[in-house]
PDB file of all heavy atoms in Angstrom:
ATOM      1  N   GLU A 212      13.669   2.006  18.111  1.00 96.00           N
ATOM      2  CA  GLU A 212      14.262   1.630  16.800  1.00 96.00           C
ATOM      3  C   GLU A 212      13.127   1.445  15.871  1.00 96.00           C
ATOM      4  O   GLU A 212      12.097   0.820  16.143  1.00 96.00           O
ATOM      5  CB  GLU A 212      15.091   0.313  16.950  1.00 96.00           C
ATOM      6  CG  GLU A 212      15.741  -0.164  15.584  1.00 96.00           C
ATOM      7  CD  GLU A 212      16.522  -1.474  15.794  1.00 96.00           C
ATOM      8  OE1 GLU A 212      16.967  -1.706  16.947  1.00 96.00           O
ATOM      9  OE2 GLU A 212      16.576  -2.180  14.853  1.00 96.00           O
ATOM     10  N   PHE A 213      13.349   1.904  14.621  1.00 96.00           N
ATOM     11  CA  PHE A 213      12.292   1.797  13.598  1.00 96.00           C
ATOM     12  C   PHE A 213      12.839   0.961  12.420  1.00 96.00           C
ATOM     13  O   PHE A 213      13.969   1.198  11.983  1.00 96.00           O
ATOM     14  CB  PHE A 213      11.830   3.150  13.110  1.00 96.00           C
ATOM     15  CG  PHE A 213      11.089   3.929  14.103  1.00 96.00           C
ATOM     16  CD1 PHE A 213      11.725   5.010  14.825  1.00 96.00           C
ATOM     17  CD2 PHE A 213       9.767   3.677  14.448  1.00 96.00           C
ATOM     18  CE1 PHE A 213      11.058   5.681  15.781  1.00 96.00           C
ATOM     19  CE2 PHE A 213       9.048   4.444  15.357  1.00 96.00           C
ATOM     20  CZ  PHE A 213       9.670   5.429  16.076  1.00 96.00           C
ATOM     21  N   ARG A 214      12.037   0.004  11.943  1.00 96.00           N
ATOM     22  CA  ARG A 214      12.449  -0.858  10.827  1.00 96.00           C
ATOM     23  C   ARG A 214      11.322  -0.885   9.785  1.00 96.00           C
ATOM     24  O   ARG A 214      10.126  -0.890  10.097  1.00 96.00           O
ATOM     25  CB  ARG A 214      12.650  -2.247  11.356  1.00 96.00           C
ATOM     26  CG  ARG A 214      13.759  -2.423  12.413  1.00 96.00           C
ATOM     27  CD  ARG A 214      13.838  -3.843  12.956  1.00 96.00           C
ATOM     28  NE  ARG A 214      14.803  -3.972  14.007  1.00 96.00           N
ATOM     29  CZ  ARG A 214      15.019  -5.074  14.733  1.00 96.00           C
ATOM     30  NH1 ARG A 214      14.197  -6.117  14.546  1.00 96.00           N
ATOM     31  NH2 ARG A 214      15.880  -5.122  15.643  1.00 96.00           N
ATOM     32  N   GLN A 215      11.716  -0.917   8.513  1.00 96.00           N
ATOM     33  CA  GLN A 215      10.801  -1.009   7.446  1.00 96.00           C
ATOM     34  C   GLN A 215      10.540  -2.568   7.161  1.00 96.00           C
ATOM     35  O   GLN A 215      11.344  -3.189   6.466  1.00 96.00           O
ATOM     36  CB  GLN A 215      11.254  -0.317   6.157  1.00 96.00           C
ATOM     37  CG  GLN A 215      10.213  -0.376   5.101  1.00 96.00           C
ATOM     38  CD  GLN A 215      10.604   0.350   3.830  1.00 96.00           C
ATOM     39  OE1 GLN A 215      11.699   1.014   3.781  1.00 96.00           O
ATOM     40  NE2 GLN A 215       9.863   0.210   2.788  1.00 96.00           N
ATOM     41  N   LEU A 216       9.455  -2.995   7.720  1.00 97.00           N
ATOM     42  CA  LEU A 216       9.089  -4.454   7.521  1.00 97.00           C
ATOM     43  C   LEU A 216       7.518  -4.459   7.541  1.00 97.00           C
ATOM     44  O   LEU A 216       6.908  -3.627   8.124  1.00 97.00           O
ATOM     45  CB  LEU A 216       9.587  -5.277   8.716  1.00 97.00           C
ATOM     46  CG  LEU A 216      11.042  -5.615   8.820  1.00 97.00           C
ATOM     47  CD1 LEU A 216      11.320  -6.257  10.265  1.00 97.00           C
ATOM     48  CD2 LEU A 216      11.499  -6.531   7.769  1.00 97.00           C
ATOM     49  N   SER A 217       7.003  -5.453   6.801  1.00 97.00           N
ATOM     50  CA  SER A 217       5.572  -5.718   6.975  1.00 97.00           C
ATOM     51  C   SER A 217       5.335  -6.390   8.230  1.00 97.00           C
ATOM     52  O   SER A 217       6.251  -6.956   8.815  1.00 97.00           O
ATOM     53  CB  SER A 217       5.045  -6.482   5.774  1.00 97.00           C
ATOM     54  OG  SER A 217       5.564  -7.866   5.896  1.00 97.00           O
ATOM     55  N   ILE A 218       4.065  -6.426   8.657  1.00 98.00           N
ATOM     56  CA  ILE A 218       3.706  -7.083   9.969  1.00 98.00           C
ATOM     57  C   ILE A 218       3.900  -8.628   9.766  1.00 98.00           C
ATOM     58  O   ILE A 218       4.472  -9.293  10.641  1.00 98.00           O
ATOM     59  CB  ILE A 218       2.233  -6.749  10.294  1.00 98.00           C
ATOM     60  CG1 ILE A 218       2.091  -5.369  10.770  1.00 98.00           C
ATOM     61  CG2 ILE A 218       1.768  -7.766  11.427  1.00 98.00           C
ATOM     62  CD1 ILE A 218       0.685  -4.872  10.953  1.00 98.00           C
ATOM     63  N   THR A 219       3.645  -9.133   8.569  1.00 97.00           N
ATOM     64  CA  THR A 219       3.836 -10.549   8.332  1.00 97.00           C
ATOM     65  C   THR A 219       5.323 -10.911   8.413  1.00 97.00           C
ATOM     66  O   THR A 219       5.683 -11.935   9.058  1.00 97.00           O
ATOM     67  CB  THR A 219       3.284 -10.901   6.949  1.00 97.00           C
ATOM     68  OG1 THR A 219       1.899 -10.632   6.906  1.00 97.00           O
ATOM     69  CG2 THR A 219       3.448 -12.396   6.670  1.00 97.00           C
ATOM     70  N   GLU A 220       6.184 -10.079   7.851  1.00 97.00           N
ATOM     71  CA  GLU A 220       7.603 -10.299   7.854  1.00 97.00           C
ATOM     72  C   GLU A 220       8.150 -10.261   9.294  1.00 97.00           C
ATOM     73  O   GLU A 220       8.962 -11.098   9.667  1.00 97.00           O
ATOM     74  CB  GLU A 220       8.339  -9.289   7.002  1.00 97.00           C
ATOM     75  CG  GLU A 220       8.136  -9.450   5.467  1.00 97.00           C
ATOM     76  CD  GLU A 220       8.657  -8.228   4.678  1.00 97.00           C
ATOM     77  OE1 GLU A 220       8.693  -7.094   5.281  1.00 97.00           O
ATOM     78  OE2 GLU A 220       8.945  -8.451   3.565  1.00 97.00           O
ATOM     79  N   GLN A 221       7.719  -9.377  10.109  1.00 97.00           N
ATOM     80  CA  GLN A 221       8.089  -9.217  11.477  1.00 97.00           C
ATOM     81  C   GLN A 221       7.780 -10.521  12.259  1.00 97.00           C
ATOM     82  O   GLN A 221       8.485 -11.029  13.010  1.00 97.00           O
ATOM     83  CB  GLN A 221       7.521  -8.005  12.175  1.00 97.00           C
ATOM     84  CG  GLN A 221       7.830  -7.927  13.616  1.00 97.00           C
ATOM     85  CD  GLN A 221       9.235  -7.774  13.964  1.00 97.00           C
ATOM     86  OE1 GLN A 221       9.994  -7.019  13.372  1.00 97.00           O
ATOM     87  NE2 GLN A 221       9.760  -8.558  14.888  1.00 97.00           N
ATOM     88  N   LEU A 222       6.477 -10.972  12.039  1.00 97.00           N
ATOM     89  CA  LEU A 222       6.071 -12.090  12.779  1.00 97.00           C
ATOM     90  C   LEU A 222       6.726 -13.432  12.397  1.00 97.00           C
ATOM     91  O   LEU A 222       6.649 -14.418  13.112  1.00 97.00           O
ATOM     92  CB  LEU A 222       4.498 -12.201  12.694  1.00 97.00           C
ATOM     93  CG  LEU A 222       3.708 -11.116  13.340  1.00 97.00           C
ATOM     94  CD1 LEU A 222       2.303 -11.247  12.998  1.00 97.00           C
ATOM     95  CD2 LEU A 222       4.033 -10.968  14.799  1.00 97.00           C
ATOM     96  N   GLU A 223       7.364 -13.410  11.241  1.00 97.00           N
ATOM     97  CA  GLU A 223       8.157 -14.604  10.873  1.00 97.00           C
ATOM     98  C   GLU A 223       9.429 -14.719  11.665  1.00 97.00           C
ATOM     99  O   GLU A 223       9.988 -15.811  11.727  1.00 97.00           O
ATOM    100  CB  GLU A 223       8.491 -14.551   9.368  1.00 97.00           C
ATOM    101  CG  GLU A 223       7.264 -14.807   8.454  1.00 97.00           C
ATOM    102  CD  GLU A 223       6.503 -16.079   8.719  1.00 97.00           C
ATOM    103  OE1 GLU A 223       7.250 -17.109   8.857  1.00 97.00           O
ATOM    104  OE2 GLU A 223       5.262 -16.027   8.741  1.00 97.00           O
TER     105      GLU A 223
END
Side-chain angles (χ1 to χ4, degrees):
E212 181 181 333
F213 294 100
R214 299 175 182 173
Q215 186 179 352
L216 288 170
S217 72
I218 291 171
T219 301
E220 289 170 336
Q221 174 62 47
L222 294 175
E223 289 304 316

